[in-house]
Amino acid sequence: YRDAFFALMSGSHAGSHAPSQAAPSATAEALYRAQSLWDATMADSVAGAAARGAKPFMLVVGAFHVDFAGGVPQLLGRYAPSL
């Protein structure tokens, strides 16, 4: 997920998610931290809704927040493994 994020931010080919040879810039690192916090907040919201028995509930996100086995699904697996 991290490598795919930096590939996207560097303008690398969308189909290539191999680790970059160059270190990410400070701006890219800050954006990744913000993205990670956003993912964590959304996953926490879903886990909280499920814990309160909210049915149905839905989270609408951009594809990158759920792609590459990272982001929201990965964090939701930690916060609410039964979902």
Side-chain angles (χ1 to χ4, degrees):
Y1 183 79
R2 179 182 167 84
D3 291 340
F5 179 85
F6 288 119
L8 179 69
M9 290 294 105
S10 71
S12 296
H13 184 270
S16 173
H17 303 297
S20 170
Q21 298 300 330
S25 70
T27 300
E29 286 284 353
L31 288 170
Y32 179 74
R33 286 192 307 273
Q35 174 98 359
S36 297
L37 179 60
W38 189 359
D39 289 339
T41 300
M42 291 186 288
D44 183 65
S45 294
V46 169
R52 290 187 303 277
K55 290 185 182 176
F57 58 87
M58 178 173 59
L59 176 66
V60 179
V61 300
F64 199 90
H65 292 281
V66 296
D67 286 348
F68 315 111
V72 176
Q74 181 181 40
L75 293 164
L76 192 54
R78 284 189 218 159
Y79 303 160
S82 65
L83 288 180

